[in-house]
């Protein structure tokens, strides 16, 4: 009886000890595509190229981080849309993340459904801008603290795989979760410089809402 109790206590101590260890930030899966959770909202008009978004509980990513690095529009709707006159189901089909120019006139929908987004959506920036979905939205991991911050020995930072560099994405300005600030693995040569690099938007363009210039439906 005494041996059984002692064994149980040791087991409990082991579990508690393991629970106190920092969770490793895995780099496996960096670069895998992901669709941010915001795109499952019918009133979400899309991301802005002037901003970044770090989704820290993404079940689509092994790293749990879906990074939106200065991207315009919606991943699931490459060509965007004008604001629909009615909501409900799409009548001419929906765009998907893999849509081509042939699908440019289809609606923006909740991913995996035919429910139309109830908002105007900008088309994505030009592919050669490094700001389209393929170059700016994917699974990533935190690889360092923000510039000017002291090292954090309690956080298990990841190492970026080949083809990726560790760059600051979110400075620490004293707002939000400090564990999400700092540097993340991004594709090499895709660091955001200026919104002026958005280029010629492929799809819907509204000068008051969208960055970039003009529009085209060329593939």
């Amino acid at each position: 009886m005494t041996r059984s109790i002692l064994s149980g206590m040791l087991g409990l101590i082991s579990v508690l000890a393991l629970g106190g260890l920092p969770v490793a930030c895995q780099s496996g899966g960096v670069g895998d595509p992901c669709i941010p959770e915001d795109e499952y909202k019918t009133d979400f008009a899309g991301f802005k190229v002037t901003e970044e978004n770090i989704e820290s509980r993404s079940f689509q990513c092994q790293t749990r981080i879906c990074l939106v690095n200065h991207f315009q529009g919606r991943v699931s709707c490459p060509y965007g849309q004008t604001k629909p006159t009615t909501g409900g189901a799409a009548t001419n089909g929906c765009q998907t993340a893999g849509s081509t120019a042939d699908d440019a006139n289809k609606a923006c929908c909740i991913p995996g459904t035919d429910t139309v987004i109830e908002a105007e959506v900008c088309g994505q920036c030009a592919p050669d801008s490094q700001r389209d979905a393929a170059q700016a939205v994917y699974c990533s991991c935190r690889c360092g603290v923000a510039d000017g911050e002291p090292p954090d020995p309690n956080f298990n930072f990841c190492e970026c795989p080949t083809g990726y560099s560790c760059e600051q994405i979110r400075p620490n300005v004293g707002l939000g979760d400090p564990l999400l600030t700092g540097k993340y693995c991004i594709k090499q040569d895709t660091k955001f410089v200026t919104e002026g690099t958005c280029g010629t938007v492929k799809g819907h363009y509204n000068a008051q809402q969208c960055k970039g210039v003009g529009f085209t439906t060329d593939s």
Side-chain angles (χ1 to χ4, degrees):
M1 182 69 175
T2 302
R3 182 178 299 176
S4 176
I5 293 174
L6 179 61
S7 177
M9 290 177 63
L10 289 174
L12 178 60
I13 292 171
S14 297
V15 170
L16 291 174
L18 287 172
L21 294 175
V23 177
C25 183
Q26 302 297 325
S27 62
V30 168
D32 288 348
C34 57
I35 297 178
E37 289 298 318
D38 282 337
E39 297 199 21
Y40 291 85
K41 302 174 183 176
T42 57
D43 60 350
F44 180 63
F47 297 98
K48 297 180 179 180
V49 74
T50 53
E51 301 172 349
E52 42 71 24
N53 184 75
I54 300 169
E55 184 180 305
S56 62
R57 294 184 176 87
S58 174
F59 289 102
Q60 300 174 50
C61 297
Q62 294 181 41
T63 63
R64 292 294 182 262
I65 298 289
C66 181
L67 175 66
V68 182
N69 182 20
H70 296 275
F71 163 77
Q72 174 169 280
R74 295 172 64 103
V75 174
S76 55
C77 193
Y79 291 88
Q81 68 176 14
T82 58
K83 187 172 183 179
T85 55
T86 58
T91 57
N92 64 337
C94 301
Q95 294 181 48
T96 67
S99 287
T100 64
D102 293 336
D103 300 316
N105 292 321
K106 292 183 178 180
C108 292
C109 300
I110 296 294
T113 76
D114 64 351
T115 302
V116 177
I117 300 303
E118 300 171 357
E120 181 178 355
V121 180
C122 293
Q124 294 180 15
C125 295
D128 61 2
S129 70
Q130 308 298 340
R131 304 264 65 86
D132 65 331
Q135 300 298 317
V137 185
Y138 43 81
C139 300
S140 184
C141 58
R142 188 173 182 237
C143 54
V145 297
D147 290 342
E149 291 291 303
D152 184 354
N154 297 316
F155 194 94
N156 221 345
F157 297 101
C158 68
E159 293 186 8
C160 299
T162 301
Y164 291 79
S165 58
C166 186
E167 303 285 354
Q168 174 157 295
I169 297 298
R170 179 177 292 178
N172 190 348
V173 295
L175 300 174
D177 187 349
L179 294 181
L180 293 182
T181 63
K183 301 178 180 179
Y184 288 80
C185 296
I186 65 171
K187 295 183 178 181
Q188 286 182 348
D189 303 320
T190 63
K191 185 176 181 179
F192 178 70
V193 178
T194 171
E195 62 194 52
T197 62
C198 184
T200 302
V201 172
K202 287 182 174 292
H204 176 65
Y205 177 78
N206 178 327
Q208 284 71 48
Q209 179 179 353
C210 313
K211 297 299 181 181
V213 293
F215 70 93
T216 177
T217 55
D218 294 340
S219 57

